Each structure stands twice: as structure tokens, then as C-alpha cells.
Amino acid sequence: MDTRRAVGFLDCILKESPPFACKVRLWDGTELSFGEGSHQFVLHIKQPDIIDSIFTGDPSLAFGNAYVNGDIDIEGDLGALLSLVYRTGIQSKLSFSQKARICWAGIKNKARGGIRQSKIDVQAHYDKGNDFYKLWLDDGLNYSCAIFSSPGDTLEEAQRRKIAYTLHKLRLSTGQRLLDIGCGWGSLAIYAAKIYGCSVVGITLSEQQYALAKKKVEEQGLSGQVNIRLEDYRELETSPFDRIVSVGMFEHVGKENIHLFFKKASNLLRPGGLMLLHTISRTSPKEMDSWITTYIFPGGYIPAAGEILEAAEAHGFDFIDMEDLRPHYDMTLGHWLRRFEANVQTVKDMMGEQFVRMWRLYLTGSQTAFRYGPMHVFQFLYSLGRRDDLPLTRRWFYEIEV
């Protein structure tokens, strides 16, 4: 693409004044300014074929690849650039052929839902190394939305509050059996055993999570109370549980397995038992971002709230409550980003420059999607069958000190 055509494309996309000032610098030194005031970022496009690939192919995949490979650079606020996708309606300007390519990518992603492939996909993301995640997660290695009481909370405080709040909703008591589907590095399972006296089975598909979680359980002297397993929920054969919790795992189930998940959960839960599902979600169904499923979460799917509600009801679950934690994930991702950037040289030494750019784009793009886009984090509370013995108001949710 020559400079004249590139200028025409950019003017078409950004002809309406963006919500802030920005600048685009092309490969030949040509600069274009948009908006008024000081620039929040300068987008440097180093190769002429980049614009072609973005505006005629899959824009997410083309932009993400170009940024990771260094063919695009951003001076200034990467989040401000990514926010333009939502704040200027760029997605609505995609051509029919672009939408078809994105749809086809989504169809291919749906074909990954078997147990063996799920293990490969999960391990591709979570087995980057525990030392890597320790650099930017909280001290409990909680890789899901925290809950803040104020902007001044530390990440550690907010993650402990999330665990306490989540388990409080389940109305746990001593001696009950709790299943933690997608237990991560074990913090929630350990808390449930120590504070509530529960017997806990925690399952994960990540070998590194499994090894560290088992070690933490042993160090806490809870080996007889907390059983960490390297196992898929579809493989689980055990006597019924009193409670089920799943935090940040449902995004890996896949669209084709949503009903299967609830069917399996209904077989694992006692009648009248409670289940809490904490998951990233949308208000309406949509295909996954192709760059994310290619490089970050292969096989992932962000379910719509309606898809969850319909499937749960079909398998005997009675809806109790749904709570949106969207602002909390914006804040959580802000903490992760700051910690990631504070340790960026260590990450670069461990993983290389392209990995740094990939995860910077992933974390920044995720925060932008929660701040300006369609992403939510919902906590769904269900009982298996109808229960009329719960308090009449939601006040009891908040009757807990952390």
C-alpha cells in the first residue's frame, strides 16, 4: 500500500474526532494527527503491507502479529490506542469478508473441546512456569478477578477478599465436601479447609499448578483434608459433594461443552447443594478474538450470560443470584500490568522480547475490554433443585469481615 492510499484509509477510520489526540507515523516518515490537545500515543507503522493486512484480513490477528513482531510500535499509552476499537466503533466498519474470516476462525476454535486437547490448551497457557506468574500475581497466585473495597486496597487484600466472599456465598460449614473445579495454585481450597473445616477436592489440568498446589497443601499440614488432582472435570468419578465452586475455569470449557459441564456438575452435587460459578462473560454471544485464541487462550470461549443460565436450568440447577464484578477486573488487571512492567526485564530474560510484547498486549487489551468493551465478570449462585431456606435479601452476602 502506498502512502496516499494509507492516508485515505486512516482518514476514513478516524475521520470523526477521537476522544483524545493521537498521531500516526508511517514507514516513510509521514505523520497524521487526529483530535485536539497533546497526543496520548504515537502509532508507528513500519511496513506498508501492515495496513493492507489490517484492513482487508483479520484485523485483530494482523495488528497483534505486527505489534509482537515489532512491525508496529506504540509510543505512549497502548491502552488508549486499544480503546479506540470500542470508543469509535471501528469494529462496525469491518467488511463482509473480514467478518467471514473471523467467523471461520471461531468455527475452527470450537473443534478443540476434547479432554486431550483441553489438557494441551490449558497447559500451553498455565505451564509457562510458576516463577513467571509469581512475578506479577499476588502472593497467593490467584489468576482471576479480585474484589476491592476501595481503590487503595493492595492486590493481596483484594484477592483474599475475593476468596472469602466467594466461599461465604456457598454457606459452608464444618465437615462438608467441597469440589473446586479449576483450583489453580490452591489458595481457595486451602482457605476453605482452614477456615471452614471442609474436605476439599481441587482439580486442575496444569502440571505446574498441580505440583505447587500439592506442595502448599503439604506445607500447611492439610494433606488429609485437601486433595489436589491433575484431572479434567469430565473424568471425575467420586461420591457427591455438598458444594461446588469454580473460579476462572469456565472460560476454558468451550461453547460445545457448556451443557456437558452443567450435566457433570449436577451429577457431582447433592440435591439442595450450592454451586458458585465465577467466570468472565458477555451479555450476548460473540466469537472469540482470533489473536487471543491463537496465542493466549487456545480453545477458550467467553460464554454469554444467557448461555450459562439456559444450560444450568436444563440440568436441574435453580438460579439464586448473579453479580457483576466488571469494575473489579479492570482494577485487577491494572495491578497485574503494573507488576508485569515492574518486572519486565526479568520476563524478557526468561521469555524473550516477543513474549513481553505479546503479554503486554494481552493484559492491556483485556483491561481495555473490561473498561470500554462488552466484557463482564459474573458470579452465578445456584442450588441443585429449589431451596427456600436462604435469606430473603442479598444483605447476607456482605455480612463477612476480611
Side-chain angles (χ1 to χ4, degrees), residues 171-197:
R171 301 177 73 82
L172 290 168
S173 59
T174 301
Q176 288 184 330
R177 300 184 72 241
L178 171 68
L179 171 62
D180 183 0
I181 302 178
C183 65
W185 287 276
S187 290
L188 183 146
I190 290 170
Y191 187 99
K194 291 179 66 174
I195 303 301
Y196 289 98

Side-chain angles (χ1 to χ4, degrees), residues 209-234:
Q209 286 183 341
Y210 167 75
L212 184 55
K214 279 187 67 70
K215 181 181 178 183
K216 289 165 64 176
V217 167
E218 292 167 0
E219 290 173 347
Q220 295 281 336
L222 295 170
S223 296
Q225 203 173 340
V226 179
N227 181 10
I228 304 295
R229 302 183 188 177
L230 188 65
E231 195 167 1
D232 189 280
Y233 70 95
R234 289 164 287 188

